[in-house]
């Protein structure tokens, strides 16, 4: 099991969703691979929705351009 912290890098306002830099979530996965690119990033999408109530995929921010991934 691996634990990751995913943090937004920059400000984005797209499709009525506002994302600020520094918003972060933690996810635990069964694999050691990047959760943003694994399974369409669904664990990351679910975590941002659970914590902030936003759909990061709909905002167009589910990519390594907008997100920083750290493994613990």
């Amino acid at each position: 099991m691996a634990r990751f912290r995913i943090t937004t890098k920059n400000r984005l306002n797209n499709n009525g969703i506002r994302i600020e830099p520094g918003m972060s979530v933690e996810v635990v996965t069964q694999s050691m691979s990047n959760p943003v690119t694994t399974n369409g990033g669904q664990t990351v999408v679910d975590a941002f929705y659970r914590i902030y109530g936003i759909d990061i995929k709909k905002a167009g921010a589910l990519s390594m351009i907008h997100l920083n991934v750290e493994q613990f």
Side-chain angles (χ1 to χ4, degrees):
M1 303 237 326
R3 190 172 89 174
F4 295 91
R5 175 177 289 148
I6 296 93
T7 308
T8 57
K9 293 180 184 178
N10 41 18
R11 182 171 288 122
L12 184 67
N13 192 359
N14 197 9
N15 289 332
I17 300 168
R18 184 178 177 127
I19 295 174
E20 294 290 330
M23 296 171 80
S24 67
V25 296
E26 289 187 13
V27 295
V28 177
T29 63
Q30 295 291 338
S31 70
M32 300 296 282
S33 25
N34 185 341
V36 174
T37 58
T38 305
N39 294 328
Q42 193 58 47
T43 56
V44 177
V45 172
D46 294 343
F48 270 95
Y49 193 78
R50 184 177 61 249
I51 302 295
Y52 297 104
I54 60 170
D55 187 346
I56 197 161
K57 190 172 190 175
K58 182 179 176 185
L62 186 63
S63 72
M64 294 304 294
I65 295 168
H66 300 290
L67 299 174
N68 184 37
V69 178
E70 299 173 80
Q71 184 177 0
F72 290 82

